[in-house]
Amino acid sequence: GRKVLIVYAHQEPKSLNGSLKKVAVEELSRQGCSVTVSDLYAMQFEPRATRNDIVGCLHNSEEFNYGLEAWEAYKRGGLSSDLVEEQKKVQEADLLIFQFPLYWFSMPAIMKGWMDRVLVQGFAHEFPNCYDSGLLKHKLALFSFTTGGSREMYAKGGISGDIRYLLWPMQHGIMHFCGVKVLAPHICFAPEYVSEEKRKEMLIAWAQRLKTLWKEEPINCSPEWYFK
Amino acid sequence: GRKVLIVYAHQEPKSLNGSLKKVAVEELSRQGCSVTVSDLYAMQFEPRATRNDIVGCLHNSEEFNYGLEAWEAYKRGGLSSDLVEEQKKVQEADLLIFQFPLYWFSMPAIMKGWMDRVLVQGFAHEFPNCYDSGLLKHKLALFSFTTGGSREMYAKGGISGDIRYLLWPMQHGIMHFCGVKVLAPHICFAPEYVSEEKRKEMLIAWAQRLKTLWKEEPINCSPEWYFK
């Protein structure tokens, strides 16, 4: 059975994001996958990258360098337990699903903090092992999110620009950098401004897509996909 | 005298980011500007958007919608005091400088949380008052940051793509959306991999730029600037 980690960032279980997460857990479990959820708000996940992430002495206590200290701590098994937990979940997963409402053309800070703190050097990448040779290669990722703006606003030539423009930092800058292959994003446009019936259709469409997810090919994660 | 708010996100005062912040405070003060710094890590700024941001009763306690609740709370003066403080600083500022190390093609989570929580509807934007008619029009913003990757990696055709690609969500998606005009970014590439002398030159270059900053024209914040 395949293993899936859903990293989920919404405060309200009754939200559409909450329902999308639930649908994914149900459908993937039905397929025989083993599904783990990191419910970031419920966990009160810490987004701030600080000295507290390193257990014990610092490599250089004269001048604190987070990236270096986290790397050193990873190598000697000295990262804080919440990070070790998350890294275990990532290590075991074949597929990472990120489920969130788009905040300011990106993920909510609590999820950005998950990226900043969990994907440390040594674990997720280690120069020159980045991009296609990143340490998390052979894994898949999928960004599933809701927007405030409409599909028209996020069209090419629309006021907010092609939605793909804003996927570059998340899909290429984070996932591809770690060697993870990226499946096409799943986007629910402006659910707050549509009928209850349309929202139900959004849930059904997501469940439908998940049925054949494992047959999908990753996108070609290069500038052409985003900016042409 | 002009007013400047520096939103600063680095854990270590002795870092290059710390020095860049210090240089900006000194140079702008010398010019007669009044400079305020929000030192996010020192403030232990909360990045998570939660129910704690709303004082008193919720508009809809059956289903928590952060954006809606923050908007309602703003209108009735019911946002938490840390947000009110930051909004006052923004309101008074002519120029916002964001000083940070690039984390994963974006700002550190603690700064993303500042965006998520401070720039609430009603204060920074209120449909249809967005983009050129955003509520923070007549203000300027400048993103000043350091990178891990080299200038070559962030060149067009480089492995990490044109550095402008990753500026789209921050400059257009956040600042332009609120009506803020954007000055050209200030980027120090890979300071960890250059000599102490080169790092000193980076500080001097920043101080030099600040001397004539008020004569600069904003960039044309449209897809052409980012993707051509």
Side-chain angles (χ1 to χ4, degrees), chain A residues 115 119-137 141 143 168-182 221 226, chain B residues 103-105 148-150 153-154 159-161 193:
Chain A
M115 306 287 181
L119 303 176
V120 308
Q121 185 152 9
F123 170 69
H125 56 94
E126 188 156 17
F127 196 79
N129 291 113
C130 57
Y131 291 111
D132 290 346
S133 58
L135 301 180
L136 304 182
K137 58 176 187 270
F143 288 84
W168 173 257
M170 298 189 274
Q171 293 187 348
H172 180 75
I174 307 178
M175 286 299 127
H176 189 187
F177 189 86
C178 297
V180 179
K181 288 191 178 57
V182 177
C221 196
Y226 296 88
Chain B
Y103 278 15
W104 291 116
F105 277 44
S150 65
M153 291 167 79
Y154 284 114
I159 193 162
S160 294
Y193 305 100

Short mmCIF file of all heavy atoms in Angstrom, two decimals, chain A residues 115 119-137 141 143 168-182 221 226, chain B residues 103-105 148-150 153-154 159-161 193:
data_model
loop_
_atom_site.label_atom_id
_atom_site.label_comp_id
_atom_site.label_asym_id
_atom_site.label_seq_id
_atom_site.Cartn_x
_atom_site.Cartn_y
_atom_site.Cartn_z
N MET A 115 7.62 24.22 5.84
CA MET A 115 8.67 24.11 4.80
C MET A 115 10.01 24.58 5.36
O MET A 115 11.04 23.91 5.21
CB MET A 115 8.31 24.95 3.57
CG MET A 115 6.95 24.67 2.97
SD MET A 115 6.90 23.10 2.08
CE MET A 115 5.20 23.08 1.50
N LEU A 119 12.23 20.91 6.07
CA LEU A 119 13.03 20.50 4.89
C LEU A 119 14.47 20.98 5.02
O LEU A 119 15.00 21.68 4.16
CB LEU A 119 12.37 21.06 3.63
CG LEU A 119 10.91 20.63 3.41
CD1 LEU A 119 10.32 21.31 2.18
CD2 LEU A 119 10.79 19.11 3.31
N VAL A 120 15.13 20.58 6.08
CA VAL A 120 16.48 21.07 6.36
C VAL A 120 17.52 20.39 5.46
O VAL A 120 17.31 19.28 4.97
CB VAL A 120 16.88 20.89 7.85
CG1 VAL A 120 15.84 21.47 8.79
CG2 VAL A 120 17.12 19.42 8.18
N GLN A 121 18.60 21.10 5.29
CA GLN A 121 19.74 20.58 4.54
C GLN A 121 20.24 19.32 5.25
O GLN A 121 20.27 19.24 6.48
CB GLN A 121 20.86 21.64 4.50
CG GLN A 121 22.03 21.23 3.63
CD GLN A 121 22.76 22.42 3.03
OE1 GLN A 121 22.51 23.56 3.38
NE2 GLN A 121 23.68 22.15 2.11
N GLY A 122 20.60 18.32 4.44
CA GLY A 122 21.02 17.04 5.00
C GLY A 122 19.86 16.04 4.92
O GLY A 122 20.06 14.88 4.62
N PHE A 123 18.65 16.55 5.17
CA PHE A 123 17.47 15.71 5.09
C PHE A 123 16.82 15.78 3.70
O PHE A 123 16.55 14.75 3.08
CB PHE A 123 16.44 16.11 6.15
CG PHE A 123 15.10 15.45 5.98
CD1 PHE A 123 14.95 14.09 6.20
CD2 PHE A 123 13.99 16.18 5.57
CE1 PHE A 123 13.72 13.46 6.01
CE2 PHE A 123 12.75 15.56 5.39
CZ PHE A 123 12.62 14.20 5.60
N ALA A 124 16.56 16.99 3.22
CA ALA A 124 15.79 17.15 1.99
C ALA A 124 16.66 17.50 0.79
O ALA A 124 16.25 17.30 -0.36
CB ALA A 124 14.72 18.24 2.18
N HIS A 125 17.83 18.01 1.05
CA HIS A 125 18.76 18.43 -0.01
C HIS A 125 20.12 18.58 0.65
O HIS A 125 20.23 18.72 1.86
CB HIS A 125 18.32 19.76 -0.63
CG HIS A 125 18.17 20.85 0.40
ND1 HIS A 125 19.18 21.73 0.71
CD2 HIS A 125 17.15 21.15 1.24
CE1 HIS A 125 18.77 22.55 1.66
NE2 HIS A 125 17.55 22.22 2.02
N GLU A 126 21.16 18.50 -0.17
CA GLU A 126 22.51 18.70 0.35
C GLU A 126 23.39 18.92 -0.86
O GLU A 126 23.70 17.98 -1.58
CB GLU A 126 22.97 17.47 1.16
CG GLU A 126 24.28 17.71 1.87
CD GLU A 126 24.46 16.79 3.09
OE1 GLU A 126 23.75 15.77 3.21
OE2 GLU A 126 25.32 17.11 3.93
N PHE A 127 23.75 20.18 -1.08
CA PHE A 127 24.46 20.55 -2.29
C PHE A 127 25.57 19.55 -2.62
O PHE A 127 26.34 19.20 -1.72
CB PHE A 127 25.03 21.97 -2.17
CG PHE A 127 25.45 22.53 -3.48
CD1 PHE A 127 24.50 23.06 -4.34
CD2 PHE A 127 26.77 22.49 -3.89
CE1 PHE A 127 24.87 23.56 -5.58
CE2 PHE A 127 27.15 22.97 -5.14
CZ PHE A 127 26.20 23.50 -5.98
N PRO A 128 25.74 19.04 -3.84
CA PRO A 128 24.97 19.41 -5.05
C PRO A 128 23.68 18.60 -5.24
O PRO A 128 23.13 18.63 -6.32
CB PRO A 128 25.97 19.10 -6.17
CG PRO A 128 26.72 17.91 -5.65
CD PRO A 128 26.78 18.04 -4.15
N ASN A 129 23.23 17.91 -4.23
CA ASN A 129 21.99 17.14 -4.37
C ASN A 129 20.76 18.00 -4.21
O ASN A 129 20.12 18.01 -3.15
CB ASN A 129 21.97 15.96 -3.40
CG ASN A 129 22.99 14.90 -3.77
OD1 ASN A 129 23.96 14.67 -3.06
ND2 ASN A 129 22.81 14.31 -4.94
N CYS A 130 20.46 18.73 -5.28
CA CYS A 130 19.24 19.52 -5.30
C CYS A 130 18.61 19.40 -6.68
O CYS A 130 19.19 18.80 -7.58
CB CYS A 130 19.53 20.97 -4.93
SG CYS A 130 20.75 21.77 -5.97
N TYR A 131 17.40 19.93 -6.79
CA TYR A 131 16.60 19.76 -8.01
C TYR A 131 16.54 18.25 -8.36
O TYR A 131 16.26 17.46 -7.47
CB TYR A 131 17.12 20.65 -9.15
CG TYR A 131 16.84 22.12 -8.81
CD1 TYR A 131 17.87 23.02 -8.52
CD2 TYR A 131 15.52 22.60 -8.74
CE1 TYR A 131 17.60 24.34 -8.18
CE2 TYR A 131 15.25 23.91 -8.38
CZ TYR A 131 16.29 24.78 -8.12
OH TYR A 131 16.04 26.08 -7.77
N ASP A 132 16.84 17.87 -9.60
CA ASP A 132 16.56 16.48 -9.98
C ASP A 132 17.27 15.45 -9.10
O ASP A 132 16.84 14.30 -9.02
CB ASP A 132 16.92 16.25 -11.46
CG ASP A 132 15.95 16.98 -12.38
OD1 ASP A 132 14.88 17.42 -11.89
OD2 ASP A 132 16.25 17.13 -13.57
N SER A 133 18.33 15.85 -8.43
CA SER A 133 19.01 14.90 -7.54
C SER A 133 18.78 15.22 -6.06
O SER A 133 19.54 14.79 -5.19
CB SER A 133 20.51 14.85 -7.86
OG SER A 133 21.08 16.14 -7.73
N GLY A 134 17.74 16.00 -5.78
CA GLY A 134 17.38 16.30 -4.39
C GLY A 134 17.16 15.03 -3.60
O GLY A 134 16.83 13.97 -4.16
N LEU A 135 17.31 15.11 -2.29
CA LEU A 135 17.29 13.90 -1.45
C LEU A 135 15.90 13.27 -1.31
O LEU A 135 15.77 12.16 -0.83
CB LEU A 135 17.88 14.21 -0.07
CG LEU A 135 19.32 14.72 -0.08
CD1 LEU A 135 19.80 14.99 1.35
CD2 LEU A 135 20.27 13.73 -0.76
N LEU A 136 14.86 13.99 -1.71
CA LEU A 136 13.50 13.42 -1.63
C LEU A 136 13.02 12.94 -3.00
O LEU A 136 11.80 12.85 -3.23
CB LEU A 136 12.53 14.44 -1.02
CG LEU A 136 12.93 14.98 0.36
CD1 LEU A 136 11.86 15.96 0.88
CD2 LEU A 136 13.12 13.85 1.37
N LYS A 137 13.94 12.62 -3.88
CA LYS A 137 13.52 12.13 -5.19
C LYS A 137 12.78 10.79 -5.01
O LYS A 137 12.90 10.16 -3.97
CB LYS A 137 14.69 12.02 -6.16
CG LYS A 137 15.84 11.16 -5.75
CD LYS A 137 16.86 11.12 -6.90
CE LYS A 137 17.95 10.12 -6.59
NZ LYS A 137 19.07 10.71 -5.87
N ALA A 141 4.54 15.27 -5.05
CA ALA A 141 3.83 16.29 -4.28
C ALA A 141 2.70 16.87 -5.10
O ALA A 141 2.76 16.90 -6.34
CB ALA A 141 4.78 17.40 -3.86
N PHE A 143 -0.08 20.25 -4.78
CA PHE A 143 -0.63 21.40 -4.07
C PHE A 143 -2.13 21.52 -4.38
O PHE A 143 -2.51 21.70 -5.53
CB PHE A 143 0.10 22.68 -4.47
CG PHE A 143 1.50 22.75 -3.92
CD1 PHE A 143 2.57 22.14 -4.56
CD2 PHE A 143 1.74 23.40 -2.71
CE1 PHE A 143 3.86 22.18 -4.03
CE2 PHE A 143 3.02 23.46 -2.17
CZ PHE A 143 4.08 22.84 -2.83
N TRP A 168 5.29 28.87 -8.99
CA TRP A 168 6.74 28.71 -9.19
C TRP A 168 7.52 28.56 -7.87
O TRP A 168 8.27 27.58 -7.70
CB TRP A 168 7.27 29.88 -10.03
CG TRP A 168 8.74 29.97 -10.19
CD1 TRP A 168 9.59 30.83 -9.54
CD2 TRP A 168 9.57 29.17 -11.06
NE1 TRP A 168 10.88 30.64 -9.95
CE2 TRP A 168 10.90 29.63 -10.88
CE3 TRP A 168 9.32 28.15 -11.96
CZ2 TRP A 168 11.97 29.08 -11.58
CZ3 TRP A 168 10.39 27.60 -12.65
CH2 TRP A 168 11.70 28.06 -12.47
N PRO A 169 7.37 29.49 -6.92
CA PRO A 169 8.15 29.33 -5.68
C PRO A 169 7.80 28.05 -4.92
O PRO A 169 8.69 27.39 -4.38
CB PRO A 169 7.76 30.57 -4.85
CG PRO A 169 7.25 31.56 -5.84
CD PRO A 169 6.58 30.75 -6.91
N MET A 170 6.54 27.68 -4.91
CA MET A 170 6.12 26.51 -4.13
C MET A 170 6.52 25.21 -4.81
O MET A 170 7.11 24.32 -4.19
CB MET A 170 4.61 26.54 -3.90
CG MET A 170 4.15 27.76 -3.09
SD MET A 170 2.40 27.67 -2.58
CE MET A 170 1.58 28.37 -4.01
N GLN A 171 6.20 25.08 -6.08
CA GLN A 171 6.41 23.80 -6.77
C GLN A 171 7.88 23.63 -7.19
O GLN A 171 8.46 22.56 -7.00
CB GLN A 171 5.51 23.71 -8.01
CG GLN A 171 4.03 23.63 -7.66
CD GLN A 171 3.16 23.37 -8.89
OE1 GLN A 171 3.61 23.47 -10.03
NE2 GLN A 171 1.91 23.04 -8.66
N HIS A 172 8.43 24.69 -7.81
CA HIS A 172 9.81 24.59 -8.28
C HIS A 172 10.80 24.91 -7.16
O HIS A 172 11.73 24.15 -6.90
CB HIS A 172 10.06 25.53 -9.47
CG HIS A 172 11.45 25.47 -10.02
ND1 HIS A 172 11.90 24.42 -10.79
CD2 HIS A 172 12.51 26.30 -9.86
CE1 HIS A 172 13.17 24.62 -11.10
NE2 HIS A 172 13.57 25.75 -10.55
N GLY A 173 10.57 26.02 -6.48
CA GLY A 173 11.52 26.51 -5.49
C GLY A 173 11.63 25.62 -4.27
O GLY A 173 12.69 25.54 -3.64
N ILE A 174 10.55 24.95 -3.91
CA ILE A 174 10.60 24.08 -2.73
C ILE A 174 10.62 22.61 -3.16
O ILE A 174 11.61 21.91 -2.97
CB ILE A 174 9.41 24.34 -1.77
CG1 ILE A 174 9.33 25.84 -1.40
CG2 ILE A 174 9.56 23.48 -0.52
CD1 ILE A 174 8.17 26.21 -0.48
N MET A 175 9.54 22.12 -3.74
CA MET A 175 9.43 20.67 -4.00
C MET A 175 10.47 20.18 -5.00
O MET A 175 11.18 19.21 -4.75
CB MET A 175 8.01 20.33 -4.45
CG MET A 175 7.02 20.36 -3.29
SD MET A 175 7.49 19.14 -2.01
CE MET A 175 7.52 20.17 -0.54
N HIS A 176 10.54 20.84 -6.16
CA HIS A 176 11.52 20.40 -7.16
C HIS A 176 12.93 20.51 -6.60
O HIS A 176 13.77 19.63 -6.84
CB HIS A 176 11.36 21.22 -8.45
CG HIS A 176 12.17 20.70 -9.60
ND1 HIS A 176 12.27 21.37 -10.80
CD2 HIS A 176 12.93 19.58 -9.74
CE1 HIS A 176 13.07 20.67 -11.61
NE2 HIS A 176 13.47 19.60 -11.01
N PHE A 177 13.21 21.56 -5.85
CA PHE A 177 14.55 21.72 -5.26
C PHE A 177 14.93 20.50 -4.44
O PHE A 177 16.10 20.11 -4.39
CB PHE A 177 14.60 22.98 -4.39
CG PHE A 177 15.99 23.33 -3.93
CD1 PHE A 177 16.82 24.09 -4.73
CD2 PHE A 177 16.46 22.88 -2.70
CE1 PHE A 177 18.13 24.40 -4.31
CE2 PHE A 177 17.76 23.18 -2.28
CZ PHE A 177 18.59 23.94 -3.08
N CYS A 178 13.94 19.90 -3.77
CA CYS A 178 14.21 18.71 -2.93
C CYS A 178 14.14 17.41 -3.73
O CYS A 178 14.21 16.33 -3.16
CB CYS A 178 13.21 18.65 -1.78
SG CYS A 178 13.34 20.06 -0.66
N GLY A 179 13.94 17.53 -5.05
CA GLY A 179 13.91 16.34 -5.89
C GLY A 179 12.53 15.72 -6.05
O GLY A 179 12.38 14.71 -6.73
N VAL A 180 11.53 16.32 -5.41
CA VAL A 180 10.17 15.78 -5.45
C VAL A 180 9.54 16.10 -6.81
O VAL A 180 9.67 17.22 -7.31
CB VAL A 180 9.32 16.40 -4.31
CG1 VAL A 180 7.89 15.87 -4.35
CG2 VAL A 180 9.97 16.13 -2.96
N LYS A 181 8.87 15.13 -7.39
CA LYS A 181 8.16 15.37 -8.64
C LYS A 181 6.78 15.92 -8.33
O LYS A 181 6.15 15.53 -7.34
CB LYS A 181 8.08 14.08 -9.46
CG LYS A 181 9.44 13.71 -10.03
CD LYS A 181 9.37 12.60 -11.05
CE LYS A 181 10.77 12.34 -11.59
NZ LYS A 181 11.75 11.99 -10.49
N VAL A 182 6.33 16.83 -9.18
CA VAL A 182 5.12 17.59 -8.87
C VAL A 182 3.98 17.18 -9.78
O VAL A 182 4.11 17.22 -11.01
CB VAL A 182 5.42 19.11 -9.01
CG1 VAL A 182 4.17 19.93 -8.77
CG2 VAL A 182 6.54 19.53 -8.07
N CYS A 221 8.42 20.41 -14.57
CA CYS A 221 8.60 21.55 -13.66
C CYS A 221 9.77 22.43 -14.11
O CYS A 221 10.82 22.46 -13.48
CB CYS A 221 8.82 21.03 -12.24
SG CYS A 221 8.60 22.29 -10.98
N TYR A 226 5.40 27.27 -16.43
CA TYR A 226 4.88 28.36 -15.62
C TYR A 226 4.64 29.66 -16.40
O TYR A 226 3.68 30.37 -16.14
CB TYR A 226 5.85 28.67 -14.47
CG TYR A 226 5.99 27.51 -13.51
CD1 TYR A 226 6.94 26.51 -13.72
CD2 TYR A 226 5.14 27.39 -12.42
CE1 TYR A 226 7.05 25.43 -12.86
CE2 TYR A 226 5.25 26.31 -11.55
CZ TYR A 226 6.20 25.34 -11.78
OH TYR A 226 6.29 24.27 -10.93
N TYR B 103 14.03 32.50 2.19
CA TYR B 103 13.82 31.11 2.61
C TYR B 103 12.91 30.47 1.56
O TYR B 103 11.77 30.87 1.41
CB TYR B 103 13.08 31.05 3.95
CG TYR B 103 13.90 31.22 5.21
CD1 TYR B 103 15.20 31.72 5.20
CD2 TYR B 103 13.34 30.89 6.45
CE1 TYR B 103 15.91 31.87 6.39
CE2 TYR B 103 14.05 31.05 7.64
CZ TYR B 103 15.33 31.54 7.60
OH TYR B 103 16.03 31.69 8.77
N TRP B 104 13.39 29.47 0.88
CA TRP B 104 12.53 28.74 -0.06
C TRP B 104 11.81 29.65 -1.06
O TRP B 104 10.59 29.60 -1.17
CB TRP B 104 11.50 27.87 0.69
CG TRP B 104 12.12 26.72 1.41
CD1 TRP B 104 12.14 26.52 2.76
CD2 TRP B 104 12.82 25.61 0.84
NE1 TRP B 104 12.81 25.36 3.06
CE2 TRP B 104 13.24 24.78 1.88
CE3 TRP B 104 13.15 25.24 -0.47
CZ2 TRP B 104 13.96 23.61 1.67
CZ3 TRP B 104 13.87 24.08 -0.68
CH2 TRP B 104 14.26 23.28 0.39
N PHE B 105 12.59 30.49 -1.75
CA PHE B 105 12.05 31.34 -2.83
C PHE B 105 11.01 32.33 -2.30
O PHE B 105 10.17 32.83 -3.07
CB PHE B 105 11.39 30.48 -3.93
CG PHE B 105 12.34 29.91 -4.96
CD1 PHE B 105 13.55 29.34 -4.59
CD2 PHE B 105 12.03 29.94 -6.32
CE1 PHE B 105 14.42 28.81 -5.54
CE2 PHE B 105 12.88 29.42 -7.28
CZ PHE B 105 14.09 28.85 -6.89
N GLY B 148 20.74 32.35 -0.63
CA GLY B 148 21.72 31.27 -0.49
C GLY B 148 22.36 31.01 -1.84
O GLY B 148 23.57 30.88 -1.96
N GLY B 149 21.54 30.99 -2.89
CA GLY B 149 22.02 30.71 -4.24
C GLY B 149 22.76 31.90 -4.84
O GLY B 149 22.57 33.05 -4.42
N SER B 150 23.57 31.63 -5.82
CA SER B 150 24.39 32.66 -6.46
C SER B 150 23.59 33.41 -7.53
O SER B 150 22.51 32.99 -7.95
CB SER B 150 25.59 32.01 -7.13
OG SER B 150 25.14 31.18 -8.19
N MET B 153 22.83 31.19 -10.49
CA MET B 153 21.70 30.27 -10.33
C MET B 153 20.37 31.00 -10.56
O MET B 153 19.41 30.42 -11.05
CB MET B 153 21.72 29.64 -8.94
CG MET B 153 22.87 28.67 -8.71
SD MET B 153 23.09 28.24 -6.95
CE MET B 153 21.78 27.02 -6.74
N TYR B 154 20.33 32.28 -10.18
CA TYR B 154 19.10 33.07 -10.30
C TYR B 154 19.07 33.92 -11.57
O TYR B 154 18.39 34.93 -11.62
CB TYR B 154 18.91 33.96 -9.07
CG TYR B 154 18.42 33.21 -7.86
CD1 TYR B 154 19.22 33.09 -6.72
CD2 TYR B 154 17.15 32.65 -7.83
CE1 TYR B 154 18.78 32.41 -5.60
CE2 TYR B 154 16.69 31.98 -6.71
CZ TYR B 154 17.51 31.86 -5.60
OH TYR B 154 17.06 31.19 -4.49
N ILE B 159 19.56 27.56 -13.07
CA ILE B 159 18.83 26.42 -12.51
C ILE B 159 17.66 26.85 -11.63
O ILE B 159 16.64 26.16 -11.54
CB ILE B 159 19.79 25.48 -11.75
CG1 ILE B 159 19.14 24.15 -11.43
CG2 ILE B 159 20.33 26.15 -10.49
CD1 ILE B 159 20.12 23.05 -11.09
N SER B 160 17.78 28.01 -10.99
CA SER B 160 16.70 28.49 -10.11
C SER B 160 15.79 29.50 -10.80
O SER B 160 14.84 29.99 -10.18
CB SER B 160 17.30 29.10 -8.84
OG SER B 160 17.95 28.08 -8.09
N GLY B 161 16.08 29.78 -12.07
CA GLY B 161 15.23 30.72 -12.81
C GLY B 161 15.51 32.16 -12.43
O GLY B 161 16.09 32.45 -11.39
N TYR B 193 29.01 32.97 0.91
CA TYR B 193 30.08 32.36 0.13
C TYR B 193 31.06 33.38 -0.42
O TYR B 193 31.82 33.07 -1.33
CB TYR B 193 29.47 31.51 -0.99
CG TYR B 193 28.50 30.48 -0.46
CD1 TYR B 193 27.12 30.69 -0.49
CD2 TYR B 193 28.98 29.31 0.15
CE1 TYR B 193 26.24 29.76 0.03
CE2 TYR B 193 28.10 28.38 0.68
CZ TYR B 193 26.74 28.61 0.62
OH TYR B 193 25.86 27.70 1.15
#
